Amino acid sequence: MGAPVYRGTFGAPQAERLLWRAGFGPRPGEAKALAKLGLDGAVHSLLNPGVEKLVGPRPHDSKGRPLAPADRWGHDHCWWLDRMVRTSRPLVERMALVWHDWFATSNAGVGDQTLMLQQNELFRKHGLGSFERLLLSVTANPAMLLWLNGTENTKDAPNENYGREMMELFTLGANRGAYTERDVREQARSLTGWTSRWSRGRGDYDFHFDAMRHDPGTKTVFHRSGRYAWRDACRLCLSNPKHPSFFVQKLWGYFIPVPPNAATTRALEAAYTQGHELKPVLEIVLKHPALYTGPRMTKPPVVHTAGLLRRIGAGVTTDAWAWIGSLAGQQLFYPPNVAGWDDTRWLDTATFRGRWIGVAQLLNDRRLDPSKGKAPADAQTVLKRALAFWRNPQLSDATNRALLQFAKESLRQAGSQRWKQVQYPVLVENALRQLIAVSPDLQTS
Amino acid sequence: MSSRVVCDECTRADLFRAVAGQGLPAIEAGMPMPAGTGLTRRGFVARSIGLALTVYGAGRLGIFDEGIAAAASAPQQPILVTVFLQGGADALTLLSPQADPLYRKLRPNLAVSGGTPFAEDASLSWHPALAPLAQLHGEGKVSVLPAVGYDHPDQSHFTSRHFWEVGATDTRLLTGWLGRYLDVAGTKDNPLQGLSLTGSLQPALATAKVPVAAIDGPGEYDFWTPGVWGEVQDRMLDAIGLLGRVGGDDAAMRTAASVTAQAATLRKQLAPFAGDKIPAPAVPYPTGDSFPQRLQGLAAMISAGLPLRCVALEATGEYDTHASQVSALGPALQTTAASLYAFQRDLEARGVADRVLTLVWTEFGRRAKENGSGGTDHGAAGTGFLIGTHAAGTQVGEFPGLAGGLDEDGNLKATSDFRGVYAALLEQWLSFDAERILPHAKSFARPTLVK
């Protein structure tokens, strides 16, 4: 028996939710266009997007210079944010973000933006392909070799860092009885041999496998013995009976906030074990009724930001997005640790303020000038204008009421003073744009 | 993880200054001057708590009154501060058994030499960078836990940290141990009762019912929007609270609304500090790092009478030293110890030291035998410190020694249990029944932590 498929209406609201979960939200008109393809067509188009086209204004930093993602601090974040905003392949970018979280590598430990960008390209290249190829590529990836001490893991002095996290975080999960401390140590031996050269000018370079540094002896992993090396270490994890359940549950969790039921889990595992291919698994997830009829999810901060820019057809015009991302709890290329971001706790009082500042940043170039206010306006009209600025997002009744109450009370402050009657509607419209974008409705999808 | 950091244009400290500048309430060009309210900068003395504040722009004085009133009316509660050394700090570096020949054998490249002897156990010496803690220990203000942990230690960062955060070796618990304490001892209208001074919420403070807060520092919790000022700005700030009341059936919407409501309350509570109006510290702190800055802000908040109860911070530095351990740990310990020392002296100078205890913890110690990359792999028991004028000042559990003190994985065995420490803190410091907070609290011996 396969997994259930969503059979309800697939209109613009459903297409919009799909675009949020499998991308960064719709551009104007995009949800409607996607809905016309029907559920099958829509999911097919996301999974098979063709050659990437970048749509919209080219990015630049606050001084108008082109972004220098390999060189300047923060430009890496802005460069990827721009890609999320302008891409014609939203699911490819969204999966790259998933892999960045899954194989969370931080430039705080790597110290080389070029290597971070190379790793990022891997996530794009293999992001919808096979998990086996992805895992092998990541294991041999220079940024990862530096981050988890792969180049310092030698036959004479094994370093457990990568071997442990490969099992705990990347393939098997902790506390599931999938591996023992002895397996950690043996896997570390299998993974020995990677090295690089170093020079003052270039830093680490020439990453390669050196048989002299590799431990050629017999290792015993998951009760099997052999003269294992790094590829075997990866494949042993993939063939561990506890891997498919770990893998599909973790992947599912990026798209749907409630766990899959038993039948769906079986279908996901069956689709995955055929060849560790990602598309069949993603197809089940993206067509599942729980995605369309289930609860909402908190948007990750960078998805919230990219979505607001897409919504109004804006581009990246400042490098402030990097530190704003950090305040909102998600600076790209700097996950908090190797387990990635905590997707269950995006929002707290500090990160809420970070999101607020992001919205203020976006509105800064678009503020309406109160001295140019022409005529008094009522609360309903001002709210309508502010909603139109964001292309009329669907808001809950409670949110609409709160916004309207704010608008009414503010406009009442104008009293009988003419200048206030003319200027306050403009101030209120500026404020409403801010409040709409930070409302619980737009923080979630 | 190694500890190289690249930042070619700015330091982290610069970054936060930029943010604070961004958030200052602006007096915008062309803004008219309503009669009678005086929109120029003016001094406003909050006499109730003795803080000199400068109020910028058009803020209604009302919000300051509320913040001050909430602060002033709070009863003076004991405060527990926790400081996390993230990554698993190496116990055998913090306090080293230098005279033990086995130490040199296990640590041919990493063995520490020098530093003050530890007065309670002649076999151990403080790391030279921890001299400030040694001094406080000499004054009877530091309890040392030379090998704190739990049975069947888990060598995963995430599992072990989780155990410490939730106060139990239970992977399914979702609330933090301090969060559960606040859920029963706290109130529904005070986010400051559980404060993360780390820029995001620390899991130990995760509650199920009552609000808690996360901020970078007390002086920058403001909300600015371009093209909004005066009476409309005041209403907009109130409207954050309105959005916080948006409920509904959906869990994610409710969470977003509840955080929004907490932000609205917190902004009012921190209004006395808006625009970085933090009173100067009574003593010098280390500079150029966010950890001492945050402790300095914390001392100012405590001194101002804000209603804090449990506060969580992360120390500066990266303690997951699989490689380059010596060069990574030295500066990290230096700044951390000097900051904790300044914090203690600041609290003493402000006359509030008797209300504060600080627990320093890490998720595990590291393997006794070094790994050959100039580092150490994950281990078991780690080091803890309890700092404050009311800390008992006597060591909790003994150093188990290297001969006979290592488990079958070659890791230090625990001689005290973190759950016993938590139970003792709840009972002896917060005067609360630990059995209401910690699973199986009965089964853990309580060390004497408070005098």
Side-chain angles (χ1 to χ4, degrees), chain B residues 93-132:
Chain B
T93 291
L94 272 58
L95 288 158
S96 50
Q98 294 180 11
D100 187 339
L102 201 49
Y103 182 56
R104 303 275 154 190
K105 209 171 149 200
L106 291 164
R107 298 285 181 91
N109 301 296
L110 301 183
V112 178
S113 37
T116 332
F118 175 50
E120 295 179 70
D121 181 342
S123 73
L124 295 174
S125 297
W126 294 90
H127 187 280
L130 297 183

mmCIF file of all heavy atoms in Angstrom, chain B residues 93-132:
data_model
loop_
_atom_site.group_PDB
_atom_site.id
_atom_site.type_symbol
_atom_site.label_atom_id
_atom_site.label_comp_id
_atom_site.label_asym_id
_atom_site.label_seq_id
_atom_site.Cartn_x
_atom_site.Cartn_y
_atom_site.Cartn_z
ATOM 1 N N THR B 93 42.433 20.193 31.721
ATOM 2 C CA THR B 93 43.122 21.453 31.465
ATOM 3 C C THR B 93 42.712 22.483 32.508
ATOM 4 O O THR B 93 43.534 23.241 33.002
ATOM 5 C CB THR B 93 42.792 21.971 30.052
ATOM 6 O OG1 THR B 93 43.394 21.111 29.086
ATOM 7 C CG2 THR B 93 43.296 23.388 29.851
ATOM 8 N N LEU B 94 41.419 22.500 32.841
ATOM 9 C CA LEU B 94 40.937 23.491 33.802
ATOM 10 C C LEU B 94 41.613 23.294 35.159
ATOM 11 O O LEU B 94 42.105 24.240 35.772
ATOM 12 C CB LEU B 94 39.403 23.403 33.933
ATOM 13 C CG LEU B 94 38.614 24.259 32.935
ATOM 14 C CD1 LEU B 94 38.941 23.904 31.501
ATOM 15 C CD2 LEU B 94 37.128 24.144 33.174
ATOM 16 N N LEU B 95 41.599 22.044 35.624
ATOM 17 C CA LEU B 95 42.297 21.698 36.872
ATOM 18 C C LEU B 95 43.165 20.488 36.542
ATOM 19 O O LEU B 95 42.649 19.417 36.248
ATOM 20 C CB LEU B 95 41.293 21.355 37.964
ATOM 21 C CG LEU B 95 40.511 22.528 38.534
ATOM 22 C CD1 LEU B 95 39.217 22.059 39.182
ATOM 23 C CD2 LEU B 95 41.347 23.306 39.551
ATOM 24 N N SER B 96 44.464 20.659 36.560
ATOM 25 C CA SER B 96 45.335 19.602 36.027
ATOM 26 C C SER B 96 46.122 18.905 37.132
ATOM 27 O O SER B 96 46.661 19.553 38.018
ATOM 28 C CB SER B 96 46.291 20.201 34.991
ATOM 29 O OG SER B 96 46.918 21.357 35.519
ATOM 30 N N PRO B 97 46.196 17.551 37.055
ATOM 31 C CA PRO B 97 47.002 16.791 38.026
ATOM 32 C C PRO B 97 48.457 16.749 37.569
ATOM 33 O O PRO B 97 48.947 15.723 37.102
ATOM 34 C CB PRO B 97 46.349 15.408 37.989
ATOM 35 C CG PRO B 97 45.776 15.294 36.608
ATOM 36 C CD PRO B 97 45.460 16.682 36.126
ATOM 37 N N GLN B 98 49.130 17.888 37.684
ATOM 38 C CA GLN B 98 50.436 18.053 37.029
ATOM 39 C C GLN B 98 51.511 17.122 37.568
ATOM 40 O O GLN B 98 52.435 16.748 36.854
ATOM 41 C CB GLN B 98 50.884 19.513 37.161
ATOM 42 C CG GLN B 98 49.980 20.458 36.403
ATOM 43 C CD GLN B 98 50.424 21.915 36.535
ATOM 44 O OE1 GLN B 98 51.499 22.217 37.024
ATOM 45 N NE2 GLN B 98 49.552 22.822 36.097
ATOM 46 N N ALA B 99 51.398 16.742 38.848
ATOM 47 C CA ALA B 99 52.467 15.935 39.444
ATOM 48 C C ALA B 99 52.303 14.441 39.136
ATOM 49 O O ALA B 99 53.208 13.652 39.376
ATOM 50 C CB ALA B 99 52.488 16.157 40.949
ATOM 51 N N ASP B 100 51.139 14.083 38.609
ATOM 52 C CA ASP B 100 50.887 12.670 38.314
ATOM 53 C C ASP B 100 51.637 12.275 37.046
ATOM 54 O O ASP B 100 51.373 12.837 35.968
ATOM 55 C CB ASP B 100 49.369 12.484 38.126
ATOM 56 C CG ASP B 100 48.989 11.018 37.974
ATOM 57 O OD1 ASP B 100 49.885 10.204 37.619
ATOM 58 O OD2 ASP B 100 47.809 10.702 38.192
ATOM 59 N N PRO B 101 52.581 11.319 37.112
ATOM 60 C CA PRO B 101 53.341 10.943 35.906
ATOM 61 C C PRO B 101 52.439 10.434 34.781
ATOM 62 O O PRO B 101 52.749 10.593 33.599
ATOM 63 C CB PRO B 101 54.286 9.839 36.390
ATOM 64 C CG PRO B 101 53.907 9.515 37.794
ATOM 65 C CD PRO B 101 52.989 10.573 38.317
ATOM 66 N N LEU B 102 51.307 9.868 35.162
ATOM 67 C CA LEU B 102 50.362 9.371 34.166
ATOM 68 C C LEU B 102 49.817 10.522 33.312
ATOM 69 O O LEU B 102 49.488 10.351 32.135
ATOM 70 C CB LEU B 102 49.218 8.656 34.896
ATOM 71 C CG LEU B 102 48.377 7.653 34.117
ATOM 72 C CD1 LEU B 102 49.237 6.662 33.349
ATOM 73 C CD2 LEU B 102 47.449 6.906 35.087
ATOM 74 N N TYR B 103 49.696 11.704 33.919
ATOM 75 C CA TYR B 103 49.186 12.887 33.197
ATOM 76 C C TYR B 103 50.095 13.209 32.019
ATOM 77 O O TYR B 103 49.619 13.374 30.886
ATOM 78 C CB TYR B 103 49.090 14.063 34.169
ATOM 79 C CG TYR B 103 48.535 15.342 33.577
ATOM 80 C CD1 TYR B 103 47.288 15.372 32.942
ATOM 81 C CD2 TYR B 103 49.254 16.538 33.667
ATOM 82 C CE1 TYR B 103 46.777 16.564 32.420
ATOM 83 C CE2 TYR B 103 48.747 17.728 33.152
ATOM 84 C CZ TYR B 103 47.520 17.726 32.526
ATOM 85 O OH TYR B 103 47.016 18.910 32.011
ATOM 86 N N ARG B 104 51.397 13.272 32.257
ATOM 87 C CA ARG B 104 52.353 13.570 31.162
ATOM 88 C C ARG B 104 52.307 12.471 30.108
ATOM 89 O O ARG B 104 52.494 12.728 28.932
ATOM 90 C CB ARG B 104 53.790 13.667 31.697
ATOM 91 C CG ARG B 104 53.998 14.685 32.777
ATOM 92 C CD ARG B 104 54.258 16.073 32.211
ATOM 93 N NE ARG B 104 53.844 17.076 33.194
ATOM 94 C CZ ARG B 104 53.748 18.377 32.955
ATOM 95 N NH1 ARG B 104 54.022 18.849 31.755
ATOM 96 N NH2 ARG B 104 53.344 19.207 33.878
ATOM 97 N N LYS B 105 52.050 11.258 30.550
ATOM 98 C CA LYS B 105 52.029 10.138 29.616
ATOM 99 C C LYS B 105 50.796 10.219 28.704
ATOM 100 O O LYS B 105 50.871 9.993 27.498
ATOM 101 C CB LYS B 105 52.006 8.831 30.421
ATOM 102 C CG LYS B 105 52.653 7.672 29.702
ATOM 103 C CD LYS B 105 52.800 6.486 30.640
ATOM 104 C CE LYS B 105 52.707 5.201 29.842
ATOM 105 N NZ LYS B 105 52.379 4.052 30.662
ATOM 106 N N LEU B 106 49.654 10.562 29.314
ATOM 107 C CA LEU B 106 48.420 10.672 28.528
ATOM 108 C C LEU B 106 48.399 11.951 27.699
ATOM 109 O O LEU B 106 47.752 12.016 26.657
ATOM 110 C CB LEU B 106 47.202 10.666 29.468
ATOM 111 C CG LEU B 106 46.911 9.353 30.188
ATOM 112 C CD1 LEU B 106 45.964 9.580 31.355
ATOM 113 C CD2 LEU B 106 46.321 8.346 29.210
ATOM 114 N N ARG B 107 49.089 12.968 28.200
ATOM 115 C CA ARG B 107 49.053 14.285 27.556
ATOM 116 C C ARG B 107 50.466 14.788 27.233
ATOM 117 O O ARG B 107 50.869 15.831 27.735
ATOM 118 C CB ARG B 107 48.354 15.297 28.486
ATOM 119 C CG ARG B 107 46.890 14.983 28.819
ATOM 120 C CD ARG B 107 46.020 15.297 27.630
ATOM 121 N NE ARG B 107 44.615 15.037 27.874
ATOM 122 C CZ ARG B 107 43.730 15.924 28.338
ATOM 123 N NH1 ARG B 107 44.116 17.133 28.693
ATOM 124 N NH2 ARG B 107 42.458 15.606 28.473
ATOM 125 N N PRO B 108 51.210 14.036 26.379
ATOM 126 C CA PRO B 108 52.592 14.465 26.122
ATOM 127 C C PRO B 108 52.672 15.873 25.528
ATOM 128 O O PRO B 108 53.625 16.597 25.784
ATOM 129 C CB PRO B 108 53.109 13.416 25.139
ATOM 130 C CG PRO B 108 51.904 12.722 24.591
ATOM 131 C CD PRO B 108 50.863 12.805 25.653
ATOM 132 N N ASN B 109 51.683 16.274 24.748
ATOM 133 C CA ASN B 109 51.736 17.594 24.104
ATOM 134 C C ASN B 109 50.822 18.618 24.749
ATOM 135 O O ASN B 109 50.951 19.810 24.525
ATOM 136 C CB ASN B 109 51.355 17.468 22.631
ATOM 137 C CG ASN B 109 52.275 16.532 21.884
ATOM 138 O OD1 ASN B 109 53.466 16.806 21.765
ATOM 139 N ND2 ASN B 109 51.734 15.408 21.424
ATOM 140 N N LEU B 110 49.843 18.169 25.494
ATOM 141 C CA LEU B 110 48.797 19.082 25.972
ATOM 142 C C LEU B 110 48.856 19.329 27.468
ATOM 143 O O LEU B 110 48.073 20.122 27.987
ATOM 144 C CB LEU B 110 47.410 18.515 25.624
ATOM 145 C CG LEU B 110 47.130 18.261 24.145
ATOM 146 C CD1 LEU B 110 45.698 17.772 23.962
ATOM 147 C CD2 LEU B 110 47.368 19.514 23.328
ATOM 148 N N ALA B 111 49.758 18.627 28.187
ATOM 149 C CA ALA B 111 49.784 18.785 29.648
ATOM 150 C C ALA B 111 50.002 20.253 30.009
ATOM 151 O O ALA B 111 50.826 20.941 29.401
ATOM 152 C CB ALA B 111 50.897 17.928 30.234
ATOM 153 N N VAL B 112 49.243 20.720 30.984
ATOM 154 C CA VAL B 112 49.367 22.107 31.436
ATOM 155 C C VAL B 112 50.460 22.161 32.487
ATOM 156 O O VAL B 112 50.597 21.243 33.298
ATOM 157 C CB VAL B 112 48.034 22.569 32.057
ATOM 158 C CG1 VAL B 112 48.145 24.003 32.576
ATOM 159 C CG2 VAL B 112 46.902 22.452 31.045
ATOM 160 N N SER B 113 51.265 23.236 32.459
ATOM 161 C CA SER B 113 52.153 23.438 33.608
ATOM 162 C C SER B 113 51.972 24.855 34.124
ATOM 163 O O SER B 113 51.500 25.729 33.404
ATOM 164 C CB SER B 113 53.608 23.160 33.235
ATOM 165 O OG SER B 113 53.868 23.602 31.944
ATOM 166 N N GLY B 114 52.336 25.050 35.388
ATOM 167 C CA GLY B 114 52.161 26.358 36.018
ATOM 168 C C GLY B 114 50.769 26.498 36.596
ATOM 169 O O GLY B 114 49.985 25.543 36.610
ATOM 170 N N GLY B 115 50.465 27.672 37.067
ATOM 171 C CA GLY B 115 49.162 27.921 37.684
ATOM 172 C C GLY B 115 49.208 27.688 39.183
ATOM 173 O O GLY B 115 50.067 26.974 39.695
ATOM 174 N N THR B 116 48.247 28.289 39.860
ATOM 175 C CA THR B 116 48.183 28.187 41.328
ATOM 176 C C THR B 116 47.719 26.792 41.741
ATOM 177 O O THR B 116 46.814 26.252 41.113
ATOM 178 C CB THR B 116 47.112 29.161 41.880
ATOM 179 O OG1 THR B 116 46.989 30.244 40.982
ATOM 180 C CG2 THR B 116 47.445 29.631 43.270
ATOM 181 N N PRO B 117 48.298 26.229 42.803
ATOM 182 C CA PRO B 117 47.757 24.967 43.308
ATOM 183 C C PRO B 117 46.322 25.166 43.807
ATOM 184 O O PRO B 117 45.973 26.244 44.293
ATOM 185 C CB PRO B 117 48.677 24.625 44.479
ATOM 186 C CG PRO B 117 49.892 25.467 44.301
ATOM 187 C CD PRO B 117 49.471 26.682 43.545
ATOM 188 N N PHE B 118 45.519 24.107 43.677
ATOM 189 C CA PHE B 118 44.136 24.147 44.146
ATOM 190 C C PHE B 118 44.152 23.812 45.647
ATOM 191 O O PHE B 118 44.566 22.720 46.039
ATOM 192 C CB PHE B 118 43.312 23.127 43.349
ATOM 193 C CG PHE B 118 41.892 22.985 43.809
ATOM 194 C CD1 PHE B 118 41.081 24.095 43.994
ATOM 195 C CD2 PHE B 118 41.357 21.725 44.064
ATOM 196 C CE1 PHE B 118 39.770 23.955 44.412
ATOM 197 C CE2 PHE B 118 40.045 21.571 44.476
ATOM 198 C CZ PHE B 118 39.248 22.702 44.657
ATOM 199 N N ALA B 119 43.711 24.754 46.454
ATOM 200 C CA ALA B 119 43.923 24.663 47.902
ATOM 201 C C ALA B 119 43.267 23.437 48.542
ATOM 202 O O ALA B 119 43.712 22.958 49.585
ATOM 203 C CB ALA B 119 43.415 25.944 48.568
ATOM 204 N N GLU B 120 42.201 22.916 47.939
ATOM 205 C CA GLU B 120 41.489 21.809 48.587
ATOM 206 C C GLU B 120 42.028 20.437 48.179
ATOM 207 O O GLU B 120 41.623 19.427 48.751
ATOM 208 C CB GLU B 120 39.996 21.893 48.256
ATOM 209 C CG GLU B 120 39.330 23.134 48.820
ATOM 210 C CD GLU B 120 37.857 23.175 48.450
ATOM 211 O OE1 GLU B 120 37.106 22.349 48.984
ATOM 212 O OE2 GLU B 120 37.485 24.026 47.620
ATOM 213 N N ASP B 121 42.822 20.386 47.114
ATOM 214 C CA ASP B 121 43.363 19.103 46.652
ATOM 215 C C ASP B 121 44.737 19.374 46.061
ATOM 216 O O ASP B 121 44.862 19.894 44.948
ATOM 217 C CB ASP B 121 42.421 18.499 45.589
ATOM 218 C CG ASP B 121 42.917 17.143 45.087
ATOM 219 O OD1 ASP B 121 44.119 16.823 45.287
ATOM 220 O OD2 ASP B 121 42.106 16.412 44.484
ATOM 221 N N ALA B 122 45.762 18.991 46.829
ATOM 222 C CA ALA B 122 47.135 19.344 46.455
ATOM 223 C C ALA B 122 47.560 18.725 45.128
ATOM 224 O O ALA B 122 48.515 19.171 44.503
ATOM 225 C CB ALA B 122 48.088 18.914 47.561
ATOM 226 N N SER B 123 46.824 17.692 44.650
ATOM 227 C CA SER B 123 47.237 17.061 43.392
ATOM 228 C C SER B 123 46.832 17.899 42.179
ATOM 229 O O SER B 123 47.242 17.619 41.065
ATOM 230 C CB SER B 123 46.623 15.654 43.291
ATOM 231 O OG SER B 123 45.236 15.741 43.030
ATOM 232 N N LEU B 124 46.002 18.916 42.367
ATOM 233 C CA LEU B 124 45.477 19.680 41.232
ATOM 234 C C LEU B 124 45.988 21.120 41.228
ATOM 235 O O LEU B 124 46.219 21.715 42.279
ATOM 236 C CB LEU B 124 43.942 19.723 41.285
ATOM 237 C CG LEU B 124 43.207 18.390 41.121
ATOM 238 C CD1 LEU B 124 41.719 18.593 41.337
ATOM 239 C CD2 LEU B 124 43.484 17.794 39.745
ATOM 240 N N SER B 125 46.108 21.668 39.993
ATOM 241 C CA SER B 125 46.455 23.086 39.857
ATOM 242 C C SER B 125 45.467 23.765 38.928
ATOM 243 O O SER B 125 45.043 23.189 37.927
ATOM 244 C CB SER B 125 47.856 23.239 39.256
ATOM 245 O OG SER B 125 48.817 22.688 40.112
ATOM 246 N N TRP B 126 45.138 24.999 39.240
ATOM 247 C CA TRP B 126 44.299 25.813 38.356
ATOM 248 C C TRP B 126 45.061 26.104 37.067
ATOM 249 O O TRP B 126 46.262 26.357 37.114
ATOM 250 C CB TRP B 126 43.963 27.154 39.014
ATOM 251 C CG TRP B 126 43.100 27.099 40.239
ATOM 252 C CD1 TRP B 126 43.533 26.989 41.532
ATOM 253 C CD2 TRP B 126 41.680 27.194 40.297
ATOM 254 N NE1 TRP B 126 42.459 27.001 42.392
ATOM 255 C CE2 TRP B 126 41.305 27.131 41.660
ATOM 256 C CE3 TRP B 126 40.675 27.323 39.331
ATOM 257 C CZ2 TRP B 126 39.978 27.191 42.082
ATOM 258 C CZ3 TRP B 126 39.362 27.394 39.745
ATOM 259 C CH2 TRP B 126 39.019 27.320 41.110
ATOM 260 N N HIS B 127 44.373 26.114 35.956
ATOM 261 C CA HIS B 127 44.996 26.618 34.730
ATOM 262 C C HIS B 127 45.377 28.080 34.966
ATOM 263 O O HIS B 127 44.614 28.819 35.597
ATOM 264 C CB HIS B 127 44.009 26.507 33.561
ATOM 265 C CG HIS B 127 44.617 26.834 32.236
ATOM 266 N ND1 HIS B 127 44.805 28.132 31.799
ATOM 267 C CD2 HIS B 127 45.109 26.033 31.248
ATOM 268 C CE1 HIS B 127 45.374 28.103 30.599
ATOM 269 N NE2 HIS B 127 45.570 26.834 30.250
ATOM 270 N N PRO B 128 46.563 28.491 34.493
ATOM 271 C CA PRO B 128 46.986 29.883 34.750
ATOM 272 C C PRO B 128 45.918 30.913 34.359
ATOM 273 O O PRO B 128 45.759 31.931 35.053
ATOM 274 C CB PRO B 128 48.243 30.032 33.886
ATOM 275 C CG PRO B 128 48.790 28.640 33.769
ATOM 276 C CD PRO B 128 47.598 27.720 33.784
ATOM 277 N N ALA B 129 45.163 30.639 33.304
ATOM 278 C CA ALA B 129 44.151 31.614 32.871
ATOM 279 C C ALA B 129 42.982 31.700 33.850
ATOM 280 O O ALA B 129 42.191 32.636 33.796
ATOM 281 C CB ALA B 129 43.634 31.262 31.477
ATOM 282 N N LEU B 130 42.873 30.708 34.743
ATOM 283 C CA LEU B 130 41.760 30.716 35.705
ATOM 284 C C LEU B 130 42.146 31.387 37.019
ATOM 285 O O LEU B 130 41.416 31.273 38.012
ATOM 286 C CB LEU B 130 41.272 29.284 35.965
ATOM 287 C CG LEU B 130 40.680 28.535 34.771
ATOM 288 C CD1 LEU B 130 40.172 27.162 35.197
ATOM 289 C CD2 LEU B 130 39.535 29.329 34.140
ATOM 290 N N ALA B 131 43.287 32.097 37.036
ATOM 291 C CA ALA B 131 43.733 32.769 38.262
ATOM 292 C C ALA B 131 42.630 33.608 38.926
ATOM 293 O O ALA B 131 42.509 33.592 40.156
ATOM 294 C CB ALA B 131 44.965 33.618 37.970
ATOM 295 N N PRO B 132 41.796 34.314 38.143
ATOM 296 C CA PRO B 132 40.731 35.091 38.810
ATOM 297 C C PRO B 132 39.776 34.204 39.610
ATOM 298 O O PRO B 132 39.326 34.609 40.686
ATOM 299 C CB PRO B 132 39.996 35.758 37.641
ATOM 300 C CG PRO B 132 40.972 35.785 36.523
ATOM 301 C CD PRO B 132 41.822 34.565 36.686
#
